[in-house]
Amino acid sequence: MPPAPDTPRRPLLSHASHPLTVTIPAVDENGEHVPTQIAGEFPLTIYVDRREIVTLMTLGAAPEALTIGWLRNQRLVASLDDIEAVQVDWEVNAVAVKTRNGLVDADERLGSRTVTTGCGQGTVFGGLMDEIDAIRLPADRTLTQATLYALMDAVRHHESIYKQAGAVHGCALARPAADGCEILMFVEDVGRHNAVDAIAGQMWLDGLDGGDKIFYTTGRLTSEMVIKTAQMGIPFLVSRSGLTQMGWDIARKIGLTMIGRAQGKHYLLFTGEERFTR
Amino acid sequence: MPPAPDTPRRPLLSHASHPLTVTIPAVDENGEHVPTQIAGEFPLTIYVDRREIVTLMTLGAAPEALTIGWLRNQRLVASLDDIEAVQVDWEVNAVAVKTRNGLVDADERLGSRTVTTGCGQGTVFGGLMDEIDAIRLPADRTLTQATLYALMDAVRHHESIYKQAGAVHGCALARPAADGCEILMFVEDVGRHNAVDAIAGQMWLDGLDGGDKIFYTTGRLTSEMVIKTAQMGIPFLVSRSGLTQMGWDIARKIGLTMIGRAQGKHYLLFTGEERFTR
């Protein structure tokens, strides 16, 4: 008998987090040699049931969660229960995924990706736009300004790689708490969308629902970021950065509460005002 | 008789620059309604000889140059002379490219992209890594600190969209000048790599060589940025932002002079010290 959907069999996972920074020599404006920490960036090629699927460029902080989340967000795997094993091997920059029933519409989906890429967002965008109409976000959740400020404050304590080396984006999954805001996950990666995918993967692994969560990103509020947040069922999206036109169009269409330019005590509420209270 | 390579036939071009920003309503931390400018973001699907090739998400500032540069940097077109016409139609978010002799290894190249995407850089990276060994950058060019400072100063006056709306990256093609540094092109786009491709395309259209140029980007020095700069034959890459490990590895391999964290009077010289004088 298959397990209930709320208790998925947990896949066999490696735990192959990569060293996240390296120190290189650099020379500053005074001609002085300053050893400088930089962010790691490694290719990780995903093989599913021995078939090569994609190569992601990643910091390597959470390769197993990234792989699962990428497959989830590409809709190539319908549930965690379909994944039997995820084994990362940095010796060959590869991750081997073993499924129970293969990928969903693999040929059709992987084929269609060839014509909707170019900026990375595109690879995702192509497949996901169709799903927007189906997405329903909880209307009864609210976010207060106090919780928002608590989130912005909490994030500052998590950006370890960014503070050391820069050149990474951070994403956080958070939840309103009695004392302000609890950060459940924080992932940094050289790719903004990798960080989102890694959180989506970890949410599956931990069996977390998005309905009562807040998603934070240091990156821009692009179409892809909005769509992936909504896909995770999260009604709140907060960013330190700005907004693009398609991000705005799609957020309004799906009724996401979106806040940008959140720095210090400043922010801009762009969409979904009805869920926000000051 | 075909024209000499230094005088390519100029393709027939549309001039379909898109409105670059839109103003949306937003509410700030004081509950006040603040009309806010945001960057445009539009899908642009490239059709070559009626075949759908790729969809780029772009600000739309220089769609013709972006299309030509993308085809150039993907090595799908060997010379500008092969392009007969580039016609952008925002009514259908498409650009129709007419070639004289079709695309180079189209099936093989477009096919291989399906397994090397995921972060956008990947789509490019897959095809270009092979070329690194063939790249030769001029060793006799030098960049002085005075020219670097002049460049950093000049760039500040060009970032129109960023200042208005944020959420874009800017790239500049510059050349040392008697009075400091001359910016020949400045392109902003929602995608860092779109801005690079647009400059590569415009360089072809204007018949510019990269050997005596400096390439500036507001974005991170990733593997893709390093490879594309070298592909354009430009020996100097300057960024306001940080560096990733693969960007560093590749820059050393191809002997690029790379400077990051360039802000105010501060910078870090990462690679190619032999071309830099203080």
Side-chain angles (χ1 to χ4, degrees):
Chain A
M1 192 184 90
D6 57 348
T7 58
R9 286 173 288 186
R10 193 177 170 89
L12 180 66
L13 300 179
S14 60
H15 298 284
S17 180
H18 213 288
L20 302 182
T21 65
V22 293
T23 300
I24 66 164
V27 179
D28 71 9
E29 63 276 14
N30 303 315
E32 277 164 24
H33 289 264
V34 283
T36 302
Q37 273 190 313
I38 62 172
E41 182 188 18
F42 307 94
L44 180 66
T45 301
I46 300 176
Y47 294 83
V48 177
D49 301 326
R50 295 205 171 77
R51 172 179 179 173
E52 181 177 350
I53 304 297
V54 69
T55 298
L56 308 177
M57 304 297 301
T58 178
L59 178 68
E64 296 84 7
L66 169 60
T67 301
I68 292 169
W70 188 86
L71 291 169
R72 174 188 183 179
N73 284 340
Q74 294 289 338
R75 296 298 190 251
L76 287 163
V77 172
S79 93
L80 186 65
D81 196 46
D82 295 337
I83 300 176
E84 192 170 325
V86 177
Q87 301 286 324
V88 172
D89 180 356
W90 287 117
E91 293 288 313
V92 289
N93 291 104
V95 50
V97 178
K98 191 163 184 301
T99 69
R100 298 186 198 284
N101 312 301
L103 296 177
V104 180
D105 307 335
D107 295 332
E108 184 250 317
R109 285 171 185 269
L110 296 176
S112 71
R113 288 208 347 269
T114 61
V115 294
T116 55
T117 182
C119 72
Q121 300 169 22
T123 52
V124 178
F125 194 80
L128 298 192
M129 272 305 272
D130 322 337
E131 297 187 13
I132 288 178
D133 298 336
I135 291 173
R136 295 282 173 276
L137 295 172
D140 58 343
R141 300 290 178 177
T142 59
L143 174 65
T144 67
Q145 180 170 278
T147 301
L148 174 64
Y149 284 150
L151 168 66
M152 290 156 65
D153 196 54
V155 162
R156 277 192 288 276
H157 304 303
H158 280 77
E159 296 185 280
S160 57
I161 304 303
Y162 183 78
K163 282 176 198 146
Q164 292 171 55
V168 295
H169 280 291
C171 287
L173 183 71
R175 173 168 56 193
D179 60 342
C181 188
E182 177 190 11
I183 292 192
L184 304 171
M185 302 173 198
F186 187 85
V187 177
E188 292 173 298
D189 204 310
V190 288
R192 175 174 73 242
H193 32 292
N194 286 350
V196 187
D197 287 342
I199 283 183
Q202 195 60 46
M203 284 176 75
W204 255 12
L205 289 168
D206 297 347
L208 293 180
D209 173 74
D212 60 342
K213 306 300 189 303
I214 307 162
F215 193 79
Y216 175 92
T217 173
T218 60
R220 295 170 292 158
L221 297 164
T222 60
S223 47
E224 178 199 10
M225 195 60 58
V226 170
I227 291 171
K228 286 192 169 178
T229 302
Q231 273 193 306
M232 295 185 278
I234 301 173
F236 302 102
L237 174 58
V238 178
S239 171
R240 170 185 307 170
S241 304
L243 171 67
T244 67
Q245 188 168 356
M246 287 201 72
W248 185 63
D249 290 339
I250 296 168
R252 280 182 306 160
K253 193 169 180 180
I254 60 185
L256 183 78
T257 296
M258 184 166 64
I259 293 166
R261 301 257 171 245
Q263 281 186 293
K265 292 294 179 200
H266 178 62
Y267 63 85
L268 289 174
L269 175 60
F270 289 128
T271 58
E273 208 172 335
E274 64 282 359
R275 281 197 203 87
F276 189 78
T277 58
R278 296 179 50 256
Chain B
M1 190 183 92
D6 59 345
T7 59
R9 284 173 290 186
R10 195 178 169 87
L12 179 65
L13 299 180
S14 59
H15 298 284
S17 179
H18 212 288
L20 301 183
T21 65
V22 293
T23 300
I24 65 163
V27 180
D28 71 8
E29 64 275 14
N30 303 315
E32 278 165 24
H33 290 265
V34 283
T36 303
Q37 274 190 316
I38 63 172
E41 182 188 17
F42 307 94
L44 179 66
T45 301
I46 299 176
Y47 294 82
V48 177
D49 301 326
R50 297 205 171 78
R51 172 180 178 173
E52 181 176 351
I53 303 297
V54 69
T55 297
L56 308 176
M57 304 296 302
T58 178
L59 178 69
E64 296 84 7
L66 169 61
T67 300
I68 292 168
W70 187 86
L71 291 169
R72 175 188 183 179
N73 284 340
Q74 294 287 339
R75 295 301 189 251
L76 287 163
V77 171
S79 93
L80 185 66
D81 195 47
D82 295 337
I83 300 176
E84 192 170 325
V86 177
Q87 300 288 322
V88 173
D89 180 356
W90 287 118
E91 292 288 310
V92 290
N93 291 105
V95 51
V97 178
K98 192 164 183 302
T99 69
R100 299 186 198 282
N101 312 302
L103 296 178
V104 180
D105 307 334
D107 294 333
E108 184 250 314
R109 284 171 186 270
L110 297 176
S112 71
R113 291 214 339 276
T114 61
V115 293
T116 54
T117 183
C119 73
Q121 300 168 23
T123 51
V124 179
F125 193 79
L128 298 190
M129 273 305 273
D130 322 336
E131 297 188 13
I132 288 177
D133 299 336
I135 291 173
R136 294 284 172 274
L137 296 173
D140 57 342
R141 300 289 178 177
T142 59
L143 174 66
T144 66
Q145 180 170 280
T147 302
L148 174 64
Y149 284 150
L151 168 66
M152 290 156 65
D153 196 54
V155 162
R156 276 192 287 277
H157 304 304
H158 281 77
E159 295 185 280
S160 57
I161 304 303
Y162 183 77
K163 281 176 198 146
Q164 291 172 55
V168 295
H169 280 292
C171 286
L173 182 72
R175 174 168 54 193
D179 58 343
C181 190
E182 176 191 12
I183 292 191
L184 304 170
M185 302 173 197
F186 187 85
V187 178
E188 291 172 297
D189 204 311
V190 288
R192 176 174 72 240
H193 33 290
N194 286 350
V196 188
D197 288 342
I199 283 182
Q202 194 60 47
M203 284 176 74
W204 255 11
L205 288 168
D206 297 347
L208 293 180
D209 173 75
D212 60 343
K213 306 297 189 306
I214 308 162
F215 192 79
Y216 175 92
T217 174
T218 59
R220 295 171 291 159
L221 297 164
T222 60
S223 47
E224 178 197 8
M225 194 59 59
V226 170
I227 292 172
K228 287 191 169 179
T229 302
Q231 274 193 306
M232 293 186 279
I234 301 174
F236 301 102
L237 175 58
V238 177
S239 172
R240 172 185 305 170
S241 304
L243 172 65
T244 66
Q245 189 168 355
M246 289 201 72
W248 185 64
D249 290 340
I250 296 168
R252 281 183 306 159
K253 192 168 180 180
I254 59 186
L256 183 79
T257 296
M258 184 166 64
I259 293 166
R261 301 255 171 245
Q263 283 186 292
K265 292 292 180 199
H266 177 64
Y267 63 85
L268 289 175
L269 174 60
F270 290 129
T271 59
E273 209 172 338
E274 66 281 359
R275 284 199 202 84
F276 189 78
T277 58
R278 298 181 50 256

